[in-house]
């Protein structure tokens, strides 16, 4: 009986982890992305929308889709696909832009 209960608890724990939103910490915060074109601020919203302030001060909007381990941001000339990963405020990581260049992203508190 203990084994059965342990297995049920483990199944529910893994199901909860699989359903967790990898972008939950992004909502209400800012992703600062620095690349060859300069720095832009990306604002990811719950529900599949995002906006960004570009280096020249203009803004752009689009949508994103999460498919397993990949999230693709749509709205530009090419989709910008990145691995989905939960991030903490203050964390910095590398991205590969659609043109193959490397960019650096940092999750910053607030908008």
């Amino acid at each position: 009986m203990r084994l059965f209960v342990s297995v049920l608890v483990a199944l529910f724990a893994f199901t909860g982890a699989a359903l967790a939103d990898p972008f939950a910490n992004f909502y209400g915060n800012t992703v600062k992305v620095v690349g060859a074109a300069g720095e832009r601020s990306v604002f990811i919203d719950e529900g599949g929308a995002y906006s960004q302030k570009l280096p020249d001060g203009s803004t752009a909007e689009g949508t994103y889709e999460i498919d397993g381990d990949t999230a693709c941001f749509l709205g530009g000339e090419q989709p910008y696909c990145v691995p989905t990963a939960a991030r903490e405020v203050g964390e910095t990581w590398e991205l590969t832009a659609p043109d193959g260049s490397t960019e650096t992203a940092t999750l910053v508190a607030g908008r």
Side-chain angles (χ1 to χ4, degrees):
M1 183 66 170
R2 283 187 194 166
L3 177 60
F4 178 72
V5 172
S6 296
V7 169
L8 282 178
V9 169
L11 283 174
F12 282 114
F14 287 125
T15 301
L19 297 177
D21 183 347
F23 286 163
N25 283 345
F26 291 70
Y27 310 143
N29 292 312
T30 303
V31 181
K32 296 282 187 179
V33 180
V34 179
E39 180 179 286
R40 67 185 182 280
S41 298
V42 181
F43 312 105
I44 300 172
D45 297 319
E46 190 171 9
Y50 78 96
S51 60
Q52 54 185 330
K53 185 174 181 182
L54 303 171
D56 66 3
S58 65
T59 59
E61 296 180 350
T63 60
Y64 66 89
E65 299 172 351
I66 297 174
D67 185 12
D69 293 341
T70 303
C72 290
F73 292 81
L74 312 169
E77 292 178 20
Q78 297 177 312
Y80 193 123
C81 297
V82 299
T84 55
R87 304 287 182 179
E88 298 296 324
V89 171
E91 188 173 347
T92 298
W93 65 99
E94 297 295 315
L95 299 171
T96 302
D99 67 3
S101 65
T102 301
E103 297 186 306
T104 302
T106 302
L107 185 58
V108 179
R111 292 256 166 136

